[in-house]
Amino acid sequence: FLKPLERELGVKLADYTALLQGQLTFAITRNGWKGHDDEEPGLLLLVDARNKSEQLKTSLAELRTKCTAAGKSVRTEKVRGTDFMVLPISSNDVPRTVRNLFPKSKPAGQAGDEDAASKPSKKDELVLGQAESLLIMANSVKAAEAVVARLESGGAPALADFGPYQANHLALFR
């Protein structure tokens, strides 16, 4: 699985797994999502590179260069003074090796939803950036910004500060 994937992407995953020096976190956040199709939950992958921060910066710059050279549209977003690379993703961008893992099915239509085909499809994107020694991968700039804001100021509320969570914490986790 990995060798064809590395060949299709033009990267060596070992170069990136060597950056993992601390905590690895996968998170799903609300990100404005209310259970409808207008917004999606935030998906985040955070990798702490600790003392390999400079190597991470170099790897991200090389990835940007490879994407640009391959003709992919790459834009840069400034998030609280930090540059993030934003790559639009379509089903054609997913490597064939990964596509073969998932079943091919058409989304089911609902009765009375004749104009569903006329609705514009939402463009997915991959947001990549570095804040201090942390590699941030997200599905939206808004999700990445929440992490950077938390790193910079600590002002965003944590789950432990949420009243209902505090009330149930001991009953659920002790």
Side-chain angles (χ1 to χ4, degrees), residues 6 39 66 73 86 101 112 117-118 120 163-164 166:
E6 286 178 337
E39 289 282 334
K66 284 181 181 179
S73 65
V86 181
L101 291 176
S118 65
Q166 288 178 341

Side-chain angles (χ1 to χ4, degrees), residues 130-150:
Q130 179 179 358
E132 299 172 11
S133 67
L134 191 65
L135 169 64
I136 301 171
M137 297 174 66
N139 67 334
S140 71
V141 174
K142 184 178 176 182
E145 185 174 14
V147 174
V148 175
R150 182 81 174 159

Side-chain angles (χ1 to χ4, degrees), residues 12-31:
K12 292 188 180 204
L13 296 177
D15 294 344
Y16 293 92
T17 57
L19 295 173
L20 179 60
Q21 296 295 305
Q23 186 171 336
L24 172 72
T25 303
F26 175 73
I28 300 174
T29 64
R30 184 176 287 167
N31 199 36

Side-chain angles (χ1 to χ4, degrees), residues 54-115:
E54 287 302 315
Q55 184 180 349
L56 173 59
K57 185 182 286 186
T58 303
S59 295
L60 286 174
E62 288 173 0
L63 182 62
R64 179 187 305 272
T65 303
K66 284 181 181 179
C67 288
T68 305
K72 300 210 183 289
S73 65
V74 178
R75 75 176 200 271
T76 301
E77 290 276 336
K78 197 80 112 157
V79 176
R80 295 183 173 253
T82 304
D83 287 337
F84 276 78
M85 177 175 35
V86 181
L87 300 163
I89 298 176
S90 71
S91 59
N92 293 337
D93 294 328
V94 177
R96 186 179 17 215
T97 306
V98 176
R99 256 186 286 163
N100 291 338
L101 291 176
F102 298 101
K104 294 170 182 75
S105 63
K106 293 182 181 179
Q110 295 181 2
D113 197 16
E114 289 82 22
D115 65 335

